[in-house]
Amino acid sequence: MSALLEIQHVTKRFGGLCAISDCSVAVETGHTHGIIGPNGAGKTTLFNLITGIYKPTEGAIRFRGESIAGLRPGRIALKGIGRTFQNIRLCKELTVLDNVRIAFDSQLHYAPIEALIRLPRSGRGEQRSIDESLRLLEPFGLLAHAHDRAGDLPYGHQRKLEIARALALKPSALLLDEPAAGLNTGETAALTEFLRWVRGEFDVTLVLIEHHMHLVMNLCDRITVLDFGQTIADGTPEEIRANPRVIEAYLGGADDE
Amino acid sequence: MKPFLAAAAIARWPLPVLIAAGFAFTVAAQYLPILNGYTQFVLITVGINIILCASLNLVNGYMGEFSVGHAGFMSLGAYSAAIFTTKWLPATPAAFLPAVLFGGAVAAVIGFFLALLSFKTRGDYLAIITLAFLMIVKSTWENLPYVGGPRGITTAPLTTLPWVFAAVVATIWIIRNLVYSKFGRAVIAIREDEIAANAMGVRVREAKILAFVVSSFFGGVAGALSAHATFFINPGQFDILKSTEILVMVYLGGIGSLAGSILGATIFTFLSQALQPLGYWRLVILPLILVLLMLFRPRGIMGLRELPWFLPRRELLIKRELYKKP
């Protein structure tokens, strides 16, 4: 099995601060990969490097064997990397449906002039975008809210919408930044099942940053542990659980958060 | 579901009828003594202002950037079209449509390069760049003897009410088509959250440039119409004050709304005609309106809302939840 996403010796410095230092992660196709580590370990920075919001100071990032380091974020998204954000970033003024349509639009191929004077191809494209976006909303339980302002949705629904929107890109890798943040134990268990379903239904490789150990240990095939921007451990959940450096740096007494 | 769909479709029949009736009225006004010259001039100004307001709304409202250079595009369109009708072709009505399209095209080409340049920077910088652009355009005409320098050139009064009416309908239709396409959604997504838009695969630069080019094109069209509505143009007509007037219209009517653009331009034009007797005090009152608007109703009258008639049929069905579920 080949690696879908490879982060090779990546370093990111912000002035004097080294947020990520010589970090390497390999995400296998079809795996669910967990990124854990204490606050400030550089997990979100790593996501921002992968998705092109930051450019790595050193090192290479490969997606399906192709170098993506330094590409613009939009290009990287179109190559098949979808993501969600730690603090939800929806287009709050737009409807739920339009949020999904914006991501789906990358699959519509009509030229500006066709849109401006409404040539048939743009109409067919719009029709498809509505149909497919509504179809996508249904399994997320958002169909009934399709016409609500995204900003008016309850928190849990906003999280689901963000995932649905990322999936509208038809990504092969989906990066989830703390999907269980703010959820209670029961909701986290439901999210675990939900992500399992997403993984199967959309045939997508999941990479997730998460603090809820139950979710990470239950869902992930492989886990990378970061601390102070460095990889301190990498392995299966069992290996990570038993790794003394991880226990010291992160799990400590909070094994069962 | 079916009858509702039919009902929604039927509910839109007045729209083409009204447009046809409006056009017929403007044509009739050419030959029958319905409207006096002054009223016709005011209505032409309303139409030109609607085009200016709707096109600037694309950049300042839908896209959420802040351009103050719209009078510059108007100026480019006005001068290009005037050169076309006074120097290159006889000033006949037949030359008018090509002249107007030429004016729009020149503005669009310059708009394209300005967009390339300015979107390397972000936020407030666009305001500064468009301001600089406005001053460059103005001083270019002032120093060009070919177009009469600061004194300007005399134009033929070719702009008639039917032309303006047709131009307004075309502008609103095309801008509506853009706004309710994937490009329009991209532009709105950029306004809402540029980082999220990027993560959703929105081609940010492409969408921004397209919106800016379409906006400058119609700015140029409005300029071409305005140049031929009066007997002369000079560089001073298209200064920062003109840009400010367009900004007031946009923020008065409402950002991100075509109905708002029409409303804003109409209210503004009649208000500014009514304030004529105040002379220079008008120049105090108009910016004051802008300040008060920003303070108390920053999104304008229609801000981010739209009247059903300005939505494409498909979008209207979705909004009314009449859309047939897949």
Side-chain angles (χ1 to χ4, degrees):
Chain A
M1 202 180 266
S2 67
L4 179 71
L5 179 64
E6 289 169 285
I7 293 138
Q8 294 161 331
H9 306 291
V10 163
T11 298
K12 177 65 188 175
R13 275 189 285 270
F14 295 103
L17 179 82
C18 195
I20 297 276
S21 115
D22 194 25
C23 172
S24 294
V25 182
V27 179
E28 301 287 324
T29 308
H31 271 189
T32 297
H33 200 112
I35 311 256
I36 62 172
N39 286 327
K43 306 182 296 290
T44 298
T45 305
L46 189 64
F47 269 22
N48 286 341
L49 285 167
I50 297 170
T51 54
I53 293 176
Y54 302 144
K55 290 174 179 47
T57 315
E58 286 164 33
I61 301 172
R62 287 174 195 288
F63 183 64
R64 291 178 174 146
E66 188 185 350
S67 174
I68 57 167
L71 290 183
R72 275 185 274 116
R75 290 285 305 282
I76 293 175
L78 293 175
K79 287 195 181 291
I81 302 181
R83 76 169 290 182
T84 65
F85 294 87
Q86 192 174 356
N87 40 353
I88 303 171
R89 281 178 175 273
L90 292 168
C91 298
K92 292 194 170 64
E93 291 287 344
L94 299 185
T95 63
V96 169
L97 177 62
D98 278 348
N99 266 279
V100 175
R101 283 175 78 185
I102 286 164
F104 186 82
D105 282 342
S106 61
Q107 287 152 59
L108 300 182
H109 301 288
Y110 56 80
I113 191 68
E114 291 177 285
L116 290 179
I117 58 172
R118 272 184 112 63
L119 293 181
R121 207 151 72 120
S122 75
R124 281 199 301 272
E126 291 301 300
Q127 191 73 44
R128 224 184 96 209
S129 108
I130 297 167
D131 287 343
E132 301 230 355
S133 302
L134 285 171
R135 195 171 293 140
L136 181 65
L137 284 175
E138 189 156 30
F140 288 82
L142 290 169
L143 195 54
H145 300 282
H147 311 291
D148 298 348
R149 249 178 99 251
D152 292 341
L153 288 182
Y155 183 77
H157 279 83
Q158 291 197 16
R159 282 237 171 261
K160 282 200 166 176
L161 175 56
E162 226 195 358
I163 296 174
R165 187 180 69 175
L167 287 168
L169 261 175
K170 307 249 157 77
S172 33
L174 177 57
L175 277 47
L176 302 167
D177 197 344
E178 297 200 25
L183 302 184
N184 63 34
T185 317
E187 287 165 338
T188 306
L191 180 74
T192 311
E193 283 318 301
F194 176 71
L195 290 179
R196 226 185 275 279
W197 172 82
V198 165
R199 183 171 69 181
E201 179 76 17
F202 296 92
D203 191 23
V204 64
T205 301
L206 297 180
V207 184
L208 53 112
I209 293 175
E210 196 39 78
H211 285 298
H212 284 68
M213 279 307 127
H214 263 311
L215 188 148
V216 175
M217 293 297 171
N218 277 330
L219 201 64
C220 294
D221 303 297
R222 200 162 184 90
I223 295 171
T224 301
V225 188
L226 296 184
D227 197 14
F228 294 110
Q230 289 176 311
T231 311
I232 59 167
D234 186 274
T236 64
E238 291 71 31
E239 287 164 5
I240 295 297
R241 228 193 286 263
N243 188 315
R245 281 191 73 189
V246 177
I247 295 168
E248 184 196 337
Y250 182 59
L251 296 178
D255 194 354
D256 212 355
E257 193 193 351
Chain B
M1 199 61 83
K2 272 279 160 56
F4 288 109
L5 287 175
I10 289 165
R12 280 164 78 80
W13 67 262
L15 188 58
V17 171
L18 276 179
I19 291 173
F23 189 70
F25 176 76
T26 58
V27 173
Q30 296 299 297
Y31 303 104
L32 304 171
I34 310 175
L35 303 170
N36 64 31
Y38 173 71
T39 313
Q40 287 202 27
F41 179 75
V42 172
L43 289 179
I44 285 173
T45 312
V46 168
I48 291 170
N49 282 344
I50 289 173
I51 297 173
L52 287 170
C53 185
S55 54
L56 184 63
N57 212 331
L58 204 49
V59 170
N60 285 32
Y62 290 100
M63 195 154 73
E65 298 280 355
F66 197 83
S67 162
V68 296
H70 216 51
F73 295 114
M74 204 187 165
S75 181
L76 285 171
Y79 270 91
S80 309
I83 292 168
F84 201 92
T85 53
T86 58
K87 315 240 179 207
W88 296 351
L89 282 178
T92 58
F96 189 50
L97 182 63
V100 169
L101 293 177
F102 178 69
V106 169
V109 169
I110 303 289
F112 173 76
F113 288 110
L114 194 66
L116 278 187
L117 194 78
S118 60
F119 292 138
K120 294 227 179 263
T121 65
R122 300 188 42 157
D124 306 339
Y125 296 106
L126 182 69
I128 296 166
I129 287 181
T130 50
L131 182 63
F133 155 75
L134 182 63
M135 292 156 87
I136 291 169
V137 172
K138 185 165 173 260
S139 47
T140 303
W141 302 137
E142 278 171 353
N143 292 293
L144 216 61
Y146 183 65
V147 290
R151 294 177 54 201
I153 39 178
T154 308
T155 59
L158 293 172
T159 304
T160 58
L161 209 44
W163 272 118
V164 172
F165 187 86
V168 168
V169 172
T171 306
I172 298 289
W173 185 67
I174 289 175
I175 293 181
R176 183 205 75 167
N177 292 347
L178 176 66
V179 167
Y180 295 99
S181 74
K182 65 169 181 168
F183 303 103
R185 281 192 294 277
V187 161
I188 295 168
I190 295 164
R191 175 191 74 204
E192 292 283 307
D193 189 330
E194 190 161 343
I195 290 176
N198 267 309
M200 284 184 278
V202 166
R203 291 175 179 85
V204 172
R205 276 171 67 86
E206 184 191 275
K208 278 184 166 184
I209 289 173
L210 178 64
F212 206 77
V213 166
V214 171
S215 170
S216 8
F217 177 82
F218 286 111
V221 166
L225 292 173
S226 125
H228 296 89
T230 49
F231 297 98
F232 77 100
I233 48 170
N234 64 41
Q237 288 173 354
F238 312 103
D239 59 356
I240 185 71
L241 190 70
K242 186 73 211 177
S243 277
T244 313
E245 288 183 359
I246 310 169
L247 287 172
V248 174
M249 293 181 225
V250 170
Y251 293 101
L252 172 68
I255 57 162
S257 168
L258 289 170
S261 298
I262 294 176
L263 199 64
T266 310
I267 295 175
F268 177 88
T269 314
F270 284 115
L271 197 66
S272 108
Q273 289 298 325
L275 292 176
Q276 265 329 336
L278 293 178
Y280 278 104
W281 281 100
R282 205 167 63 93
L283 308 184
V284 177
I285 289 171
L286 294 178
L288 199 63
I289 294 175
L290 190 57
V291 171
L292 292 174
L293 268 172
M294 288 290 104
L295 284 175
F296 297 109
R297 209 178 161 95
R299 284 175 174 178
I301 298 169
M302 289 295 294
L304 302 181
R305 286 174 299 158
E306 196 61 281
L307 291 181
W309 278 359
F310 293 93
L311 296 172
R313 187 170 169 276
R314 195 179 285 119
E315 302 292 328
L316 184 66
L317 291 180
I318 294 175
K319 204 175 172 191
R320 298 253 166 101
E321 305 193 24
L322 295 170
Y323 187 78
K324 205 145 48 73
K325 303 276 191 302

